[in-house]
Amino acid sequence: MTRHPAATVGLFVVTALAEIAGCSLASLWLRQAAPRWVLVPAAVSLAVFAWLLTLHPTAAGRVYAAYGGIDVATAVVWLWLIDGVRPDRWDLLGATVTVLGMAISFFGPRG
């Protein structure tokens, strides 16, 4: 099954949001003394993250490698919108480089 590149990237973004949300909730509990109940949505979010990674119809190694690029870019957006920290030029350059690497790896022609 072949997906449109935009659909593939969209799925990676949703996957990254699930991972980052789950990890952020766990971090709130560990570092900021949030109540224990935040671990429930954290666990659900991380389970959704793992399930979403299985929806890509290609080799798992390629999926994880490509996902990493989108994860970095999504984390930079999260840094800005959720954490309230404006990314600097190095954050933006790093995210751009990882997304370009992801695109080469995932969408490059195969023999």
Side-chain angles (χ1 to χ4, degrees):
M1 176 172 99
T2 303
R3 281 197 181 97
H4 189 277
T8 298
V9 171
L11 181 56
F12 277 134
V13 169
V14 171
T15 305
L17 289 172
E19 179 192 19
I20 295 167
C23 291
S24 292
L25 288 169
S27 179
L28 285 175
W29 175 71
L30 282 170
R31 296 181 179 188
Q32 298 179 19
R36 277 187 276 175
W37 64 262
V38 302
L39 293 175
V40 174
V44 170
S45 185
L46 291 171
V48 168
F49 154 70
W51 171 72
L52 288 168
L53 282 176
T54 69
L55 299 181
H56 292 277
T58 190
R62 187 171 293 133
V63 168
Y64 296 138
Y67 166 73
I70 299 299
D71 185 45
V72 169
T74 304
V76 169
V77 173
W78 184 281
L79 174 73
W80 192 3
L81 298 179
I82 305 299
D83 293 337
V85 177
R86 186 173 181 172
D88 63 22
R89 65 182 172 176
W90 300 111
D91 295 320
L92 298 174
L93 178 61
T96 301
V97 168
T98 61
V99 169
L100 288 173
M102 171 272 183
I104 292 166
S105 174
F106 201 77
F107 298 116
R110 304 278 180 239

